[in-house]
């Protein structure tokens, strides 16, 4: 496409703890879909100044370095190649690290040979990711290349400034997917998830360790929503109030409506996705104008929270380790440039995670009084979501009891 716009077939904007990892694991089975290499939760647009410092051409090389090569493959060759692409998301352990090798795509000129895992991504003369040459679906003879649809699935693109940057870098033709869940349920799920990763204050972690999830979560919610100053700060400092800010779905969607038309947006409800994963995923493929794949398997359930921080101090150790991980793996790409160093780092990462976490044993449900407070906070957002979606939200949303 002419101009400065980058092109992707689709971007899943999020939101966190709403099933985006399950959707990633489903769509990466499809031989006609090319998802970002190695990484699901890209930090490129989420970390301030990264895009300005390393540039959009780096985005193309790092996350879609084998795109043109994959386009020349047959669907069967793509399936075999995709088996070598790992996913590192949520809690990363030795099993995940071992499976997260770089893509080993077969060369179109030499079908029997693989690109070494340590080979750098192919540099392109243009930073444009051109999808529309392959946007029309047509029947092709068996064994021939088929259309390929590149996309990104990232639950963290509801942060400050992401909509503006994506609107600047991507074509308005790009399809956007928003996955949403009952905001109160999402808030509680995010709370438990971020506790272990060190994203919450140490005082909150200490309280949770002493009194359990339900009681500590109630205190945390009240400390934010009943404090006028902190409540006003939620959408101005979205990272600080991560549990709450990502549930303001309508606010975030309206930011994207400044740059992308409503007809190119698909609003997906988590509860419907969980109830009938196959139907909802096929509806998403229809929205994206991507042909169905009969070989896809269903009932995928990914990235469930199953661990917790061993102590408040150790939660902060994991927080710092997460930042180091993203720097070495994603931005410096040391898995390819310095594979020996990266293996040693991941061994240290796994050891530290084991020392700093404990298995999740607290299954307490959210207190009804906490849910009532969250429902009041999100009430107007839910009404706006219904207006944007043109239909009612699931009955589960905003229920009064836990």
């Amino acid at each position: 496409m002419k101009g400065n716009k980058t092109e992707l077939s689709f971007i899943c904007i999020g939101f966190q703890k709403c099933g985006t990892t399950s959707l990633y694991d489903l769509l990466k089975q499809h031989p006609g879909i090319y998802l970002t290499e190695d990484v699901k939760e890209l930090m490129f647009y989420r970390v301030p100044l990264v895009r300005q410092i390393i540039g959009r051409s780096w985005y193309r090389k790092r996350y879609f370095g084998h795109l043109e090569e994959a386009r020349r493959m047959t669907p069967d060759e793509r399936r075999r190649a995709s088996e070598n692409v790992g996913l590192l998301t949520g809690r990363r352990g030795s099993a995940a690290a071992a499976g997260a090798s770089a893509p080993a795509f077969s060369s179109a000129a030499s079908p029997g040979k693989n690109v070494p895992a340590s080979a750098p991504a192919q540099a392109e003369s243009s930073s444009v990711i051109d999808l529309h040459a392959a946007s029309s679906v047509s029947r092709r003879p068996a064994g021939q290349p088929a259309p390929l649809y590149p996309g990104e699935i990232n639950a963290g693109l509801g942060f400050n400034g992401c909509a503006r940057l994506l609107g600047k870098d991507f074509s308005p033709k790009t399809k956007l997917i928003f996955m949403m869940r009952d905001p109160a349920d999402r808030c509680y799920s995010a709370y438990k998830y971020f506790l272990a990763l060190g994203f919450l204050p140490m005082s909150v972690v200490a309280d949770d360790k002493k009194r359990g999830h339900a009681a500590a979560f109630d205190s945390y919610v009240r400390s934010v929503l009943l404090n006028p100053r902190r409540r006003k700060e939620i959408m101005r400092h979205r990272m600080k109030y991560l549990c709450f800010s990502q549930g303001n779905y309508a606010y975030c969607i309206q930011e994207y409506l400044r740059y992308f038309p409503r007809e190119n947006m698909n609003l997906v409800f988590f509860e419907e996705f969980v109830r009938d994963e196959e139907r909802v995923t096929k509806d998403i493929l229809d929205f994206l104008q991507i042909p169905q794949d009969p070989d896809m398997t269903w009932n995928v359930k990914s990235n469930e929270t199953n661990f917790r921080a061993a102590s408040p101090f150790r939660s902060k150790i994991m927080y710092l380790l997460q930042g180091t991980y993203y720097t070495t793996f994603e931005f410096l790409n040391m898995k390819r440039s310095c594979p020996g160093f990266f293996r040693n780092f991941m061994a240290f990462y796994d050891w530290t995670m084991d020392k700093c976490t404990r298995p999740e044993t607290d299954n307490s449900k959210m207190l009804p009084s906490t849910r009532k407070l969250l429902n009041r906070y999100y009430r107007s957002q839910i009404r706006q979501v219904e207006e944007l979606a043109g239909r009612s939200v699931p009955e589960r949303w905003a229920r009064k009891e836990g």
Side-chain angles (χ1 to χ4, degrees), residues 155-347:
L157 294 176
F159 297 130
N160 302 54
C162 288
R164 179 180 58 82
L165 293 176
L166 267 66
K168 190 172 184 180
D169 288 357
F170 292 88
S171 164
K173 295 179 181 180
T174 306
K175 301 288 184 71
L176 303 184
I177 302 168
F178 296 90
M179 298 190 72
M180 297 168 286
R181 177 184 187 179
D182 170 25
D185 284 341
R186 194 218 68 84
C187 187
Y188 191 36
S189 179
Y191 165 82
K192 291 185 284 186
Y193 185 67
F194 294 132
L195 264 176
L197 295 180
F199 285 85
L200 298 179
M202 292 176 69
S203 59
V204 175
V205 182
D207 187 35
D208 188 274
K209 185 176 177 64
K210 180 180 179 180
R211 299 196 297 145
H213 291 333
F217 179 62
D218 181 74
S219 296
Y220 179 53
V221 169
R222 292 179 182 281
S223 73
V224 175
L225 297 187
L226 298 183
N227 183 315
R229 178 186 61 81
R230 299 182 76 183
R231 183 166 173 152
K232 287 181 180 179
E233 289 181 342
I234 288 175
M235 295 311 288
R236 289 202 298 266
H237 304 289
R238 298 184 203 182
M239 274 294 294
K240 182 178 180 181
Y241 300 102
L242 199 55
C243 292
F244 305 94
S245 62
Q246 291 289 285
N248 286 304
Y249 306 131
Y251 189 106
C252 296
I253 293 170
Q254 286 163 352
E255 289 182 325
Y256 279 92
L257 282 170
R258 300 173 189 169
Y259 310 100
F260 300 89
R262 173 63 185 88
E263 58 268 24
N264 284 352
M265 297 181 179
N266 188 18
L267 277 55
V268 179
F269 296 138
F270 171 83
E271 291 78 8
E272 296 174 350
F273 178 64
V274 171
R275 185 167 60 246
D276 194 344
E277 192 174 83
E278 180 176 356
R279 179 189 64 79
V280 173
T281 304
K282 288 181 176 179
D283 287 346
I284 291 173
L285 290 173
D286 288 342
F287 165 74
L288 299 176
Q289 297 182 309
I290 296 176
Q292 305 290 336
D293 176 29
D295 295 324
M296 290 180 67
T297 58
W298 310 102
N299 300 317
V300 172
K301 197 172 184 180
S302 306
N303 206 20
E304 293 184 277
T305 304
N306 56 7
F307 65 103
R308 61 187 303 179
S311 71
F313 178 71
R314 292 182 183 185
S315 74
K316 290 305 175 187
I317 292 177
M318 288 187 290
Y319 179 80
L320 295 174
L321 200 60
Q322 294 276 318
T324 306
Y325 168 83
Y326 280 113
T327 301
T328 57
F329 172 70
E330 186 171 352
F331 298 130
L332 299 180
N333 202 9
M334 285 189 172
K335 181 163 66 69
R336 292 185 184 179
S337 59
C338 302
F341 168 83
F342 188 75
R343 280 195 300 272
N344 291 333
F345 171 78
M346 286 307 299

Side-chain angles (χ1 to χ4, degrees), residues 367-381:
L367 298 178
S369 58
T370 316
R371 184 180 296 280
K372 186 176 180 180
L373 183 57
L374 287 168
N375 286 346
R376 284 205 303 268
Y377 172 68
Y378 288 118
R379 186 179 299 151
S380 65
Q381 287 289 305

Side-chain angles (χ1 to χ4, degrees), residues 29-90:
Q29 301 177 47
H30 196 299
I33 294 177
Y34 190 100
L35 295 174
T36 47
E37 295 173 10
D38 288 334
V39 188
K40 171 188 172 268
E41 300 286 354
L42 311 189
M43 291 293 169
F44 184 80
Y45 287 101
R46 293 164 57 176
V47 179
L49 301 179
V50 164
R51 173 183 165 279
Q52 289 180 251
I53 294 172
I54 59 183
R56 284 180 295 157
S57 60
W58 183 91
Y59 177 95
R60 171 67 173 84
K61 296 173 185 177
R62 173 66 180 91
Y63 304 118
F64 297 93
H66 294 87
L67 177 61
E68 297 307 319
E69 188 175 358
R71 277 190 171 135
R72 296 191 294 269
M73 291 181 181
T74 66
D76 287 341
E77 289 173 330
R78 290 174 190 165
R79 285 186 195 279
R80 290 193 295 271
S82 68
E83 293 174 358
N84 294 312
V85 181
L87 169 65
L88 287 172
T89 186

Side-chain angles (χ1 to χ4, degrees), residues 91 317-318 321 347-357:
R91 185 183 184 187
I317 292 177
M318 288 187 290
L321 200 60
F348 174 72
Y349 186 106
D350 295 336
W351 179 84
T352 306
M353 289 290 285
D354 289 338
K355 294 295 182 182
C356 290
T357 60

